[in-house]
Amino acid sequence: MAVLPILVAPHPVLKQKAKPVAAVDARVAAFMNDMVETMYAANGIGLAAPQVGVLERIIVVDVHEKDQPRNPIRLANPEIIWSSEDKGPCEEGCLSVPEQYADVIRPVAVRVRYLDETNTRRELDADGMLATCLQHEIDHLNGVLFVDHLSLLKRNMILRKVQKQQKASA
Ligand code: GNR
Ligand code: NI
């Protein structure tokens, strides 16, 4: 297993669309493990492959409560096959937009179809933080960041802060 470096906006790879995996084979399963390790090392609740420079449709999420055991979920080719009409705001952050947070309005519940780490087709019903996180990660596979859901003014304000912070720490 390995902790991989995470790309920060405005890296061009974060704007690109990721390609489906043909199947979850040993290579993809091992990469999913690296993604889980990277997510935990960064204290994230999710991670999408493009964030580590890989343009394949692979995400990992874990929204377990603080006092509960870890519960990583590995998903390849995730697709939202149902979204609730009901939408609501949730404060989001992103490891590729470090230390910036803003409310994003999304459907409060979704059903996701995907291939798991054994290449088995599964469906997952999610609400709350898990639903938000899955939508945030699937956005990454389409080159979309949470700031793209905000007004141009808010988006530019956040992206400028990130660039300034990056330059200061470079
Ligand atoms: O760690 C993360 N926290 C988070 C909080 C609210 C909504 C979405 C997220 S995902 C984020 C990790 C990340 O950047 N995944 O792409
Ligand atoms: Ni993110």
Side-chain angles (χ1 to χ4, degrees):
M1 296 246 278
V3 174
L4 308 169
I6 295 174
L7 304 181
V8 171
H11 197 291
V13 166
L14 296 171
K15 301 305 300 174
Q16 284 176 250
K17 195 172 156 89
K19 292 204 158 58
V21 301
V24 180
D25 55 14
R27 176 193 69 86
V28 171
F31 175 61
M32 286 170 157
N33 287 340
D34 288 346
M35 286 182 62
V36 169
E37 192 180 355
T38 302
M39 170 178 70
Y40 290 140
N43 289 315
I45 61 169
L47 187 71
Q51 293 181 277
V52 293
V54 175
L55 285 168
E56 297 187 76
R57 302 188 77 82
I58 302 167
I59 66 175
V60 297
V61 299
D62 187 344
V63 299
H64 73 277
E65 300 291 328
K66 269 209 174 91
D67 56 352
Q68 293 299 116
R70 285 178 172 182
N71 181 31
I73 308 173
R74 298 159 173 86
L75 308 90
N77 301 344
E79 281 180 80
I80 295 172
I81 57 170
W82 173 83
S83 315
S84 61
E85 301 271 318
D86 195 19
K87 296 182 172 72
C90 180
E91 185 173 71
E92 298 196 19
C94 181
L95 297 170
S96 297
V97 188
E99 290 162 47
Q100 306 300 319
Y101 304 89
D103 271 359
V104 177
I105 296 163
R106 299 184 188 269
V108 298
V110 292
R111 176 172 295 155
V112 176
R113 179 176 293 157
Y114 65 101
L115 293 172
D116 74 6
E117 62 276 15
T118 69
N119 199 45
T120 303
R121 201 164 94 151
R122 289 185 181 276
E123 288 183 12
L124 177 60
D125 278 308
D127 59 13
M129 204 61 205
L130 181 57
T132 297
C133 190
L134 287 165
Q135 292 173 80
H136 174 117
E137 302 314 334
I138 292 169
D139 269 357
H140 275 299
L141 302 181
N142 297 321
V144 175
L145 300 175
F146 81 91
V147 294
D148 295 320
H149 293 280
L150 307 176
S151 68
L152 184 64
L153 186 73
K154 280 189 192 165
R155 171 159 71 248
N156 286 341
M157 204 141 64
I158 288 175
L159 292 175
R160 270 197 299 271
K161 278 189 203 166
V162 169
Q163 285 206 54
K164 192 176 165 188
Q165 186 55 48
Q166 287 297 110
K167 277 178 187 147
S169 65

